[in-house]
Amino acid sequence: MERHGTSSVDCNDFSRSTGQTSGSDKTEAQQTALIVDDEPVSRAGMAARLKRLGYRVLQAGDGKAGLELLRRERPDLTILDWMMPELDGPSVCELVRRDPEVFSSQIILMTGHDQPEQIAEGLARGADDFLSKAASPQEITARVQAGMRAAGLIRRLKHATDEIRLKQEAIERELQSAARYVVSLLPPPGQLLPGLEMASAYRPSSALGGDLFNVLRWHEHSLGMYLLDASGHGVSPALRSASFSTFLREDNLLHRVGSSDPGAILTEANRQFPLTENGSYFTIVFVRLDIRTHTLFYATAGHNGLMLHRRSGEICYLAQPSLPLGFDGGNVYHTVETQLSPGDRLYLMSDGLYEVPSPTGELWGQARLETSMREAAAKPLADALAHAIGAAEQWLGHQKFPDDVAVMGIELAG
Amino acid sequence: MSMITKERPVPNGVVLEITGDLTYANREQFKTAVERIRQRGVRYLILNMADVRFVDSSGLGLLALVSQNFKLSQGQVSILKPQSYVREIMVLANIQKLIPVYDNEQEAVTGFKQAA
């Protein structure tokens, strides 16, 4: 059944058939093979064989023309003669592998000298397979079909990768849009009331953060403030935080709790937000400030970031150990009160601000945060916050905090 | 760091020996190991945390969750020998209010007998 070399040679097909269909229009039904060989008779013989196998065939008579055709037509498989003037087969292979547009092309290198060393060199210089000019028709068919199979797999892989990349980009855009929404929930810095300045910082660890803070206006003399931290990172904590912040709106609290008392609010929130089936929960610090008497009322649930920096220089953490929300549905949260003085600063913060690891893993910690707040005591409130975050970044060694960082500070005019 | 769990029967209950970190990354493994024990009808579970170096906020939530689940089936979870750092994290979240913490296994087992 030896038919090699006996079929008629269709030299008219040479290069003229190129440019008829673009690479992207190719269907699985007809795959394209490119034959690059400076020897017209052997090139035509191979072309006829591949056409009989049902492939669309392109031909080039030297390495340079072959490379051009490969770049333009993106054939599924290229059969490349080793020995050619100027640009030989292995050099074409090397150029193809260096070209990011076509580097994944399937190439079979063909030669009359199939010594093991030569096979090794051909493969090392970028060929996918090797074919002897003396190979039987069965072997040629089998290797071409194997090459086409590999080309099909690579094409599908490339499609899948492109699709994943497009979907990833769409998800990123969605996340950015959701992140802008979360930021829009945050209160603008500035004067909350005459004599009461607010500054804040918000640095989510990924696009979407689970930390949230806000200011509630009860009366012209009474302000509420909270900072909450949803356990975990990413989309789910951000959604849960946004839903919790809706619960914490002034009108809803009056309706559901009937009080502006921080302990009563957290006790009700604890009932409303049980642990999720994955054990996710919130920690929160909630304060109310009576601006006439400078009395601070506060309650915390598993949240330690409530720091009072007195004008005298004294710094204290006000929170006592307490259960996070949802840990015990029957728990009662108590309000504690303390007196503020003009010039005092109060910070509500997430632990992401001070649980910052150095490159060796040592945590920055609350003591170093205190030091940096003291250093910036004479600066305006917003600058003091920026100073502390800068110091934490310096400790971290870069600007990408491992956990969400949220902090809101207020200062009573002195 | 990954997590390895190994269980061992004690009078009235099961000790689950945990080695590794109790964190977000290991949450499914921990939940599966504990649920397997609970669904067998075991009522008293001792989590031996002597070889747990780190518990993150998700890990704390899991401890609260398994404690709640055991209470729902009239059981109880207790924690044995937490390392100092883990103990500190648990104290800040007041975990001992929910889950008894013991320093030796005999006391933990006795605690069950009293509860039973």
Side-chain angles (χ1 to χ4, degrees):
Chain A
M1 294 295 288
E2 171 64 67
R3 293 188 300 181
H4 181 58
T6 59
S7 34
S8 65
V9 175
D10 183 9
C11 284
N12 294 335
D13 201 33
F14 174 44
S15 286
R16 220 177 44 202
S17 66
T18 65
Q20 301 294 313
T21 42
S22 78
S24 57
D25 287 336
K26 260 180 309 217
T27 60
E28 291 280 337
Q30 197 183 27
Q31 290 177 296
T32 301
L34 166 65
I35 302 164
V36 188
D37 193 340
D38 62 327
E39 169 53 56
V41 176
S42 98
R43 185 176 71 229
M46 181 63 82
R49 176 178 305 284
L50 297 187
K51 278 181 194 167
R52 278 202 303 277
L53 287 171
Y55 301 120
R56 173 176 171 251
V57 178
L58 309 172
Q59 301 179 44
D62 60 64
K64 193 164 165 287
L67 190 60
E68 271 172 26
L69 213 46
L70 185 149
R71 284 179 170 143
R72 193 169 72 228
E73 289 290 318
R74 311 282 170 89
D76 297 280
L77 179 68
T78 299
I79 298 172
L80 192 58
D81 188 26
W82 182 302
M83 294 277 281
M84 286 184 289
E86 292 179 54
L87 204 57
D88 66 5
S91 305
V92 173
C93 281
E94 286 172 338
L95 290 169
V96 167
R97 296 304 174 220
R98 281 205 293 269
D99 183 341
E101 291 291 314
V102 292
F103 78 99
S104 62
S105 306
Q106 280 290 305
I107 303 177
I108 297 179
L109 204 51
M110 197 170 50
T111 175
H113 315 282
D114 51 349
Q115 301 304 315
E117 300 79 25
Q118 201 183 20
I119 294 176
E121 185 195 339
L123 295 175
R125 292 177 67 183
D128 294 294
D129 198 1
F130 210 86
L131 190 57
S132 162
K133 282 192 164 170
S136 70
Q138 290 89 340
E139 185 185 345
I140 294 172
T141 302
R143 287 199 189 274
V144 166
Q145 286 173 340
M148 287 293 189
R149 256 195 323 271
L153 289 174
I154 288 169
R155 204 175 289 277
R156 265 153 59 194
L157 187 64
K158 209 168 163 300
H159 273 302
T161 314
D162 286 349
E163 233 164 84
I164 290 170
R165 188 174 47 75
L166 287 175
K167 283 186 179 157
Q168 185 65 37
E169 283 168 5
I171 290 171
E172 290 290 332
R173 281 195 301 275
E174 294 282 314
L175 283 176
Q176 296 299 338
S177 150
R180 282 194 296 277
Y181 171 70
V182 170
V183 170
S184 79
L185 298 176
L186 303 176
Q191 201 178 56
L192 296 178
L193 291 172
L196 186 67
E197 199 68 26
M198 188 274 270
S200 65
Y202 177 71
R203 297 271 295 269
S205 63
S206 50
L208 267 180
D211 288 3
L212 214 54
F213 53 86
N214 216 335
V215 175
L216 310 180
R217 292 162 193 281
W218 304 112
H219 308 285
E220 69 274 19
H221 56 263
S222 175
L223 274 183
M225 281 181 291
Y226 67 82
L227 188 143
L228 64 91
D229 184 347
S231 67
H233 300 285
V235 177
S236 157
L239 282 174
R240 288 189 295 116
S241 288
S243 134
F244 193 11
S245 77
T246 304
F247 172 85
L248 292 171
R249 287 164 52 135
E250 295 93 333
D251 48 352
N252 188 59
L253 288 178
L254 282 178
H255 171 66
R256 302 288 280 270
V257 188
S259 158
S260 57
D261 176 65
I265 288 167
L266 296 197
T267 301
E268 181 58 22
N270 184 51
R271 279 197 284 268
Q272 297 295 329
F273 295 91
L275 282 179
T276 70
E277 57 178 15
N278 291 316
S280 301
Y281 59 94
F282 297 104
T283 64
I284 181 169
V285 46
F286 197 106
V287 309
R288 185 172 81 80
L289 179 66
D290 189 316
I291 197 76
R292 293 168 307 183
T293 60
H294 292 177
T295 312
L296 179 75
F297 304 88
Y298 62 91
T300 58
H303 199 102
N304 305 302
L306 180 61
M307 188 175 100
L308 178 59
H309 187 181
R310 293 206 181 268
R311 186 183 212 168
S312 62
E314 183 197 356
I315 288 182
C316 53
Y317 285 91
L318 300 178
Q320 294 299 310
S322 54
L323 281 174
L325 296 185
F327 275 36
D328 174 3
N331 194 49
V332 174
Y333 293 86
H334 297 286
T335 301
V336 183
E337 64 174 271
T338 191
Q339 204 57 40
L340 301 187
S341 306
D344 285 355
R345 288 174 175 180
L346 181 74
Y347 297 100
L348 287 68
M349 64 185 83
S350 60
D351 53 10
L353 177 60
Y354 50 85
E355 286 185 355
V356 173
S358 72
T360 61
E362 191 187 346
L363 290 183
W364 193 47
Q366 292 180 330
R368 290 189 182 90
L369 172 62
E370 280 180 32
T371 306
S372 97
M373 288 300 190
R374 282 207 174 84
E375 287 164 357
K379 296 182 177 178
L381 182 64
D383 295 353
L385 274 187
H387 178 75
I389 287 175
E393 274 175 355
Q394 210 167 5
W395 182 262
L396 188 64
H398 52 86
Q399 297 190 333
K400 200 164 165 30
F401 285 92
D403 198 357
D404 297 339
V405 174
V407 52
M408 172 167 57
I410 52 166
E411 179 174 358
L412 283 179
Chain B
M1 186 181 172
S2 65
M3 169 195 278
I4 300 167
T5 56
K6 206 168 70 185
E7 55 177 278
R8 171 166 62 78
V10 286
N12 273 341
V14 165
V15 174
L16 187 67
E17 317 268 1
I18 307 168
T19 306
D21 295 343
L22 181 52
T23 55
Y24 182 76
N26 300 329
R27 67 196 186 283
E28 289 303 330
Q29 207 186 335
F30 177 75
K31 267 175 74 181
T32 308
V34 170
E35 273 305 292
R36 205 163 42 216
I37 296 170
R38 193 176 68 91
Q39 282 170 5
R40 284 205 310 266
V42 173
R43 286 172 64 193
Y44 298 107
L45 173 66
I46 300 172
L47 298 171
N48 185 350
M49 298 186 55
D51 291 324
V52 173
R53 292 180 318 168
F54 183 66
V55 174
D56 69 0
S57 58
S58 295
L60 275 184
L62 288 175
L63 289 175
L65 185 71
V66 302
S67 162
Q68 286 183 2
N69 288 344
F70 268 74
K71 277 179 188 160
L72 283 176
S73 35
Q74 277 71 51
Q76 195 187 28
V77 175
S78 53
I79 290 173
L80 187 61
K81 296 181 197 161
Q83 293 184 14
S84 58
Y85 178 70
V86 171
R87 187 182 294 261
E88 199 180 309
I89 290 173
M90 295 201 305
V91 165
L92 288 173
N94 235 355
I95 289 287
Q96 73 283 359
K97 209 182 151 193
L98 290 183
I99 311 175
V101 179
Y102 296 99
D103 279 322
N104 78 62
E105 191 176 311
Q106 197 47 52
E107 278 176 27
V109 171
T110 311
F112 284 164
K113 285 185 180 147
Q114 282 162 0

